[in-house]
Amino acid sequence: MSDHIPDVTKMMQDTPRTDSEEYESQDEPITKLGSVDAEFARTLERELHAANERIKRLEEAGDALCAAAAFMGWHMEIEKWRKAKEAKP
């Protein structure tokens, strides 16, 4: 067992872009988190929407391929696809 404390500067951030755009708001108490520009937030929303649309198209294509693969006996691959598709965050 190690009692080593990890270097927090080397830990992976889950919101690096937002963190880099964050600034302290003059209107908020110091205890609150900083703010980001509204246009930056809109950009993130547009990118999220585009990514979700791409995922939807990929899932539809994967489902169509699974339907065709069933005739070829690729049942294990179809099951892998179904499990991967269910593993949404």
Side-chain angles (χ1 to χ4, degrees):
M1 184 168 150
S2 172
D3 56 81
H4 180 310
I5 299 172
D7 183 354
V8 293
T9 61
K10 294 182 181 178
M11 293 175 65
M12 186 174 178
Q13 298 173 333
D14 59 349
T15 59
R17 290 173 61 194
T18 301
D19 293 345
S20 69
E21 292 288 326
E22 185 178 27
Y23 62 88
E24 293 297 320
S25 173
Q26 299 295 334
D27 300 329
E28 299 293 330
I30 291 182
T31 56
K32 290 209 172 197
L33 294 175
S35 302
V36 293
D37 184 67
E39 191 54 38
F40 174 76
R42 289 183 190 105
T43 298
L44 292 179
E45 283 193 71
R46 285 187 211 101
E47 290 174 4
L48 176 61
H49 178 73
N52 284 334
E53 288 297 313
R54 183 170 189 262
I55 290 168
K56 183 179 174 183
R57 290 191 310 272
L58 288 170
E59 287 179 344
E60 289 170 355
D63 290 344
L65 288 171
C66 282
F71 291 106
M72 300 178 74
W74 293 3
H75 301 292
M76 290 181 68
E77 287 75 12
I78 294 169
E79 187 58 29
K80 287 178 191 176
W81 168 249
R82 287 189 180 133
K83 285 183 180 181
K85 198 172 147 183
E86 290 173 4
K88 294 180 181 179

